Amino acid sequence: MENQIVQPIHVVRSKARVQLKGRQPDAAALLEVRALIGEAPLEGHRRDLLIEHLHALNDAYHGLFERHLVALAAEMRLPMAEVFEVASFYHHFDILKDGQTAPALTVRVCDGLSCALAGGQDLLQRLPALLCRDDVRVISAPCIGRCEQAPAAQVGQMAVGHATADILVAQVLQKVPKTLKNEQNKPYPTVEWSYPAIETVAYDDYRAQGGYGLAAAVVNSEVDSEEVLHAMESAGLRGLGGAGFPAGRKWRIVRDQPVPRLMAVNIDEGEPGTFKDRFHLERDPHRFLEGLLIAAQVVGTEAVYIYLRDEYHDGRRLLQRELAALLADPPCPLPHIELRRGAGAYICGEESAMLESIEGKRGEPRMRPPYIAEVGLFGRPTLEHNFETLYWVRDIVEKGPEWFAGHGRHGRKGLRSFSVSGRVKEPGVKLAPAGITLRELIDEYCGGMAEGHTLYAYLPGGASGGILPASLADVPLDFDTLQPYGGFIGSAAVIVLSQHDRARDAALNVMRFLADESCGQCTPCRVGTAKAAQLMEAKVWDADTLDDLALVMGDASICGLGQAAPNPIRCMHKYFAHEVGEGPWPGDLPHPGGKGAAAPGAASTTRPELAP
Ligand SMILES: Cc1cc2nc3c(=O)[nH]c(=O)nc-3n(C[C@H](O)[C@H](O)[C@H](O)COP(=O)(O)O)c2cc1C
Ligand code: SF4
């Protein structure tokens, strides 16, 4: 039986590779391209809009046809190779040969850890046979940011939470109708399903509640920038995208750089287990936009680029609508604001890779120095922030830094939006004090462990933040508190495992994810993650080789993806050696799988018991 929390290796996620021959664009393709992206202005199309244009074609034709790529290159006065190298980098672009048939619809089933725990793999395996048609493509997808609704999937651009085979088939049939028989050979039942309604504070309501008053006061110099900076520093707000750099200090560094300065906002939210940015965006988008305006004013950035992951289609529509309302009736002079669409590449959450992507290139992280605060977007000094960091700015200044710093437990300060998923009764975004322990988080905020599950292990910071045992459930969760144990909190994506799961399966799942998402630029990461994933499949681990790989990945990778990739390996050695044949099963530990489970050190090719 297939292991449930390991990505299937037979499901191919990457796109078809096609050889594009140099040739002139054909007239019809040129017209089709122009119909979507408009005629090139005299100075030519903006180079940085290449990915936006690829999206326009990909949406319209359900793939990127060779003839369109040739025409697009001509329209944008770009070498064909440049267009192709960008298009081939992103998971959401499918390059097709002319004459090939594009799928009418693509269903993406999440195989991230939380969805795998909830049975995502079963869905992925059953769905193609149930749909029984080759015009609908079913593929696996890395975490789609809906872990609290696991298993999650996307039917075209529509997100489906708590997905079942019946719901997904019904949604597919609504979009591309066909008479189908179910497994009992009866016509497929109509299954009513709609995304649960969420109350969003829209522009008028936000303003009616005093919203944008602070931004206008800062822009009109009624509130001094220094006062805002002081509040940010006193509150101790640290970047909530994962690295935890103090926000106020970052503002000062960028403010001291020469003009023009730019700002880039990170809503790529690709870390498996993280969904807090989506949660806040769906509910209170203007609190974030007001924070953005205040930051832009204090730091003096003349343009702002918001990068939103492609999986958040509803979020994009919402943000487009609310941005339009803000622009139509601005509370104060606004900077230039552009919303950019990611294209399915986790690495584009890394700040310099995100800037490359906004510039319309492959999302490959840059070497540092220079830091992006000095040489960032389009070569200009750039303030880069996670969505949630900006989300707190208004409250910190209005309520006072003591309000934010007044939260916290076990000697830590501030508030955190924990994304909690896995084996808890009530998964979701939990706004809790920084420094809360896992045990407190589960008991006080998540209604306890799910029925029939006892805590065995947890991932405190998504794929990269390590895997810790239940014995460390009383360590405060915050920046800097988990490093001594071999983990980190990152974006506070907490995934909880129980006695029915195995840490080795989780480790393999995240290593496969990292191998899949490595941008491939540097050898230690590209080869190291793939080789490690292969070695981690073995019943008994080759500890020496894995240690060597961990050392090289950690020391010689360019960016945080490769540098953090050793974490799952090291945590396995340290806390779960019994699972990988490196020691006997400890007598005081509940055996995953309970009675009848495989012997200590057994390979993960058998499926642990699942009780979603
Ligand atoms: C592999 C990798 C992926 C990342 N993904 C994200 C992401 O999805 N969202 C995010 O805000 N930061 C992400 N980061 C962190 C960013 O590089 C950067 O530190 C952060 O956006 C800075 O904003 P902040 O100071 O407000 O946290 C990622 C970092 C790495 C190394
Ligand atoms: S560490 Fe990995 S993701 Fe980062 S630049 Fe190197 S290959 Fe790319």
Side-chain angles (χ1 to χ4, degrees):
M1 236 187 300
E2 187 74 30
N3 188 309
Q4 285 289 297
I5 62 171
V6 176
Q7 291 174 1
I9 33 183
H10 62 275
V11 179
V12 180
R13 190 184 282 154
S14 58
K15 46 252 133 215
R17 305 252 159 208
V18 285
Q19 292 294 320
L20 298 179
K21 300 169 214 93
R23 59 174 162 82
Q24 294 302 307
D26 74 59
L30 265 179
L31 287 177
E32 285 165 347
V33 167
R34 282 182 193 151
L36 288 170
I37 70 167
E39 289 248 4
L42 218 50
E43 66 279 13
H45 283 287
R46 277 169 54 187
R47 168 69 181 79
D48 60 299
L49 291 180
L50 174 58
I51 293 171
E52 295 294 311
H53 296 334
L54 289 171
H55 270 305
L57 285 165
N58 202 54
D59 285 352
Y61 293 94
H62 297 201
L64 295 173
F65 284 96
E66 186 179 330
R67 66 181 192 282
H68 288 140
L69 292 181
V70 175
L72 182 64
E75 273 300 280
M76 295 193 71
R77 320 278 186 269
L78 287 174
M80 187 57 229
E82 212 169 311
V83 172
F84 181 72
E85 73 166 19
V86 174
S88 58
F89 183 81
Y90 294 91
H91 289 313
H92 289 187
F93 293 142
D94 298 302
I95 300 176
L96 302 169
K97 274 191 172 304
D98 293 340
Q100 212 175 327
T101 309
L105 189 67
T106 296
V107 180
R108 292 187 157 85
V109 181
C110 180
D111 64 8
L113 180 55
S114 309
C115 284
L117 289 170
Q121 301 263 301
D122 273 347
L123 275 181
L124 194 56
Q125 271 150 20
R126 284 175 59 211
L127 213 53
L130 289 176
L131 287 167
C132 190
R133 51 197 292 179
D134 45 22
D135 58 340
V136 176
R137 186 174 61 143
V138 179
I139 56 174
S140 67
C143 179
I144 61 173
R146 294 180 188 275
C147 324
E148 84 283 27
Q149 304 161 25
Q154 269 184 300
V155 179
Q157 297 196 342
M158 188 183 66
V160 180
H162 302 297
T164 63
D166 281 352
I167 291 174
L168 292 178
V169 172
Q171 294 310 309
V172 168
L173 292 179
Q174 265 185 25
K175 290 185 189 305
V176 274
K178 185 178 177 183
T179 311
L180 265 193
K181 301 273 176 71
N182 69 8
E183 282 159 322
Q184 286 79 43
N185 208 26
K186 297 206 175 107
Y188 236 96
T190 313
V191 182
E192 293 300 330
W193 183 88
S194 62
Y195 197 76
I198 293 169
E199 235 174 85
T200 305
V201 182
Y203 184 62
D204 289 344
D205 297 333
Y206 185 75
R207 286 206 63 180
Q209 295 162 15
Y212 289 113
L214 178 63
V218 175
V219 171
N220 299 328
S221 305
E222 290 153 23
V223 170
D224 187 36
S225 289
E226 199 51 45
E227 197 183 315
V228 177
L229 275 167
H230 182 70
M232 295 286 289
E233 286 163 342
S234 309
L237 178 68
R238 294 173 65 168
L240 298 167
F245 193 85
R249 196 182 329 153
K250 199 193 270 193
W251 289 20
R252 283 197 194 275
I253 292 170
V254 181
R255 199 176 68 150
D256 288 345
Q257 302 299 317
V259 291
R261 296 181 282 266
L262 301 173
M263 182 168 166
V265 182
N266 196 335
I267 328 182
D268 199 47
E269 192 153 75
E271 189 65 44
T274 314
F275 46 92
K276 67 185 177 67
D277 295 343
R278 173 182 58 77
F279 177 89
H280 290 304
L281 171 67
E282 286 171 344
R283 284 157 183 82
D284 205 356
H286 291 283
R287 194 166 300 273
F288 146 68
L289 287 170
E290 181 159 11
L292 173 158
L293 295 185
I294 295 167
Q297 177 64 26
V298 171
V299 177
T301 62
E302 65 181 39
V304 182
Y305 294 78
I306 304 173
Y307 190 87
L308 179 67
R309 74 179 301 194
D310 195 32
E311 289 80 352
Y312 292 171
H313 292 284
D314 293 341
R316 190 172 65 252
R317 282 186 275 269
L318 183 151
L319 203 46
Q320 281 167 338
R321 187 186 71 215
E322 298 306 321
L323 267 173
L326 172 67
L327 294 172
D329 176 23
C332 53
L334 303 176
H336 173 76
I337 303 177
E338 283 189 30
L339 177 57
R340 291 301 182 80
R341 183 172 167 190
Y346 163 72
I347 192 55
C348 290
E350 194 280 338
E351 58 184 16
S352 64
M354 186 183 82
L355 301 190
E356 290 286 304
S357 191
I358 294 173
E359 290 181 6
K361 302 177 193 157
R362 292 162 73 85
E364 289 175 351
R366 297 176 185 172
M367 297 282 269
R368 275 148 287 204
Y371 293 94
I372 64 166
E374 305 159 303
V375 182
L377 189 57
F378 306 119
R380 300 310 313 164
T382 302
L383 176 71
E384 197 266 357
H385 267 310
N386 166 255
F387 170 98
E388 195 199 349
T389 314
L390 296 170
Y391 182 85
W392 291 115
V393 171
R394 174 187 166 191
D395 285 350
I396 285 175
V397 180
E398 271 186 2
K399 296 180 182 168
E402 313 74 34
W403 164 79
F404 190 78
H407 295 277
R409 272 193 206 175
H410 306 297
R412 312 298 303 180
K413 288 183 176 171
L415 272 174
R416 294 276 175 280
S417 301
F418 291 93
S419 308
V420 188
S421 62
R423 309 298 195 182
V424 293
K425 214 172 259 168
E426 295 157 16
V429 171
K430 312 292 170 180
L431 192 56
I436 192 169
T437 67
L438 178 83
R439 201 181 307 283
E440 291 166 342
L441 188 65
I442 293 175
D443 290 347
E444 296 172 35
Y445 289 81
C446 303
M449 291 291 290
E451 219 46 61
H453 293 264
T454 49
L455 180 66
Y456 173 62
Y458 68 106
L459 289 80
S464 334
I467 308 174
L468 302 179
S471 56
L472 294 178
D474 298 312
V475 177
L477 299 174
D478 197 9
F479 296 118
D480 314 324
T481 56
L482 299 168
Q483 275 80 347
Y485 305 97
F488 58 75
I489 191 169
S491 54
V494 177
I495 306 173
V496 178
L497 306 182
S498 77
Q499 83 277 20
H500 295 298
D501 310 311
R502 295 197 200 166
R504 61 171 295 147
D505 295 337
L508 179 54
N509 180 294
V510 300
M511 190 58 77
R512 283 186 178 162
F513 167 81
L514 295 173
D516 235 1
E517 297 299 323
S518 163
C519 81
Q521 192 182 179
C522 53
T523 313
C525 169
R526 184 186 66 249
V527 178
T529 50
K531 183 74 186 161
Q534 198 189 342
L535 290 171
M536 288 161 76
E537 288 169 12
K539 177 176 172 175
V540 175
W541 277 15
D542 175 350
D544 290 343
T545 311
L546 278 165
D547 280 347
D548 283 350
L549 283 173
L551 188 71
V552 178
M553 286 191 287
D555 284 356
S557 295
I558 291 177
C559 86
L561 187 150
Q563 288 158 8
N567 284 347
I569 298 174
R570 293 191 173 134
C571 286
M572 285 303 299
H573 286 323
K574 202 165 174 181
Y575 305 115
F576 307 100
H578 52 279
E579 287 194 30
V580 290
E582 293 173 6
W585 200 277
D588 59 338
L589 266 186
H591 200 299
K595 269 193 195 155
S604 66
T605 43
T606 51
R607 171 183 164 175
E609 261 177 47
L610 273 182

